[in-house]
Amino acid sequence: MTPCSPWPSACSPCAPWPGGRPPAQDPAEAAAEGGRGGYRAVFADRPYLLFLGSMVAATFVYGQSTATLPLHVTDAGFDNKVYGLLLGLNALLCVLIELPLTRHTERRTPRRVIAAGLLLLGLGMALTGAVQAVWLLALTVVVWTVAETVYTPIANAYPAEFSPAHLRGRYQGAEGIAHTLGGALGPAVGGLLYGISAPLHWVVCGAVAALGAGLALAAVPPARAPKSAAPAAEPAPAA
């Protein structure tokens, strides 16, 4: 796992809240709402399900960096040392560019940033199947590393845009389930596809990432009206 993996990781604590940190809920209101909802409410939120689908796709594709990329490196005639250097390049780039990039992406529309990152992720992974020289493999690593530094911090904070305050933890938990599902499918399905046809496998990775980008674009959070301020007390009449 690298510092900016889509799995919960070292980048998660520094993820920005898209559009600013959501306002704190009044304790009395939170207590009143605490018994309502749950995961049933989360999975009835159709726009959020689209976002979760995009995260399954993202983790499926990103998982190929540890599932089938080492197979591709070996098939190209290189040993594990080359693969280790490629992962080292990924980690180094995450450390160098994640925070500077996030300062720019946090000012943009979150779903568009996520979609752009997934398209770039798909491009980097799809190009992997077309190259075998070490420097070209390193170039594809640069492409999908930039992609993950673009979408991961924003995606980690995006559930707060959908969730009512009393269900925020449930929404974050559902995102974790999506990453777990993508992480399970990635090595299993990816390895099967790679065994059938390596070129087809990398093309499918690009297509899955493009599908995830489309889902992210369609995942529009609800507009939440700001809570109106309490009316000022009328002055007491003069004696």
Side-chain angles (χ1 to χ4, degrees):
M1 187 190 331
T2 62
C4 48
S5 161
W7 294 82
S9 62
C11 75
S12 300
C14 59
W17 295 94
R21 186 174 295 274
Q25 189 180 30
D26 180 78
E29 182 183 346
E33 292 179 343
R36 300 203 302 268
Y39 279 111
R40 179 178 298 179
V42 175
F43 292 116
D45 186 339
R46 292 185 179 181
Y48 191 63
L49 290 180
L50 296 176
F51 168 71
L52 293 181
S54 73
M55 291 298 96
V56 172
T59 310
F60 175 94
V61 176
Y62 183 83
Q64 305 312 311
S65 63
T66 54
T68 53
L69 178 59
L71 300 178
H72 181 72
V73 170
T74 301
D75 289 344
F78 304 110
D79 57 18
N80 290 336
K81 185 182 298 184
V82 171
Y83 174 66
L85 290 173
L86 293 176
L87 285 192
L89 174 62
N90 167 248
L92 177 63
L93 286 173
C94 282
V95 171
L96 293 177
I97 69 175
E98 182 179 0
L99 289 179
L101 269 178
T102 301
R103 291 192 188 100
H104 294 283
T105 57
E106 67 181 341
R107 304 189 190 113
R108 306 293 189 264
T109 303
R111 60 193 177 90
R112 293 178 181 173
V113 172
I114 296 168
L118 291 185
L119 287 175
L120 199 58
L121 174 67
L123 175 64
M125 286 295 178
L127 287 176
T128 301
V131 301
Q132 291 191 333
V134 172
W135 72 273
L136 288 174
L137 287 170
L139 186 59
T140 65
V141 170
V142 171
V143 173
W144 55 257
T145 299
V146 171
E148 60 171 327
T149 57
V150 166
Y151 79 83
T152 301
I154 304 301
N156 284 345
Y158 200 38
E161 294 287 296
F162 294 86
S163 61
H166 70 290
L167 289 177
R168 197 162 292 149
R170 295 286 198 275
Y171 273 70
Q172 291 283 359
E175 187 196 11
I177 294 172
H179 286 306
T180 300
L181 179 59
L185 292 175
V189 178
L192 179 63
L193 279 175
Y194 190 90
I196 295 172
S197 170
L200 173 64
H201 163 72
W202 297 113
V203 171
V204 168
C205 285
V208 170
L211 173 62
L215 292 174
L217 278 177
V220 181
R224 301 191 185 279
K227 187 181 295 185
S228 58
E234 296 182 3

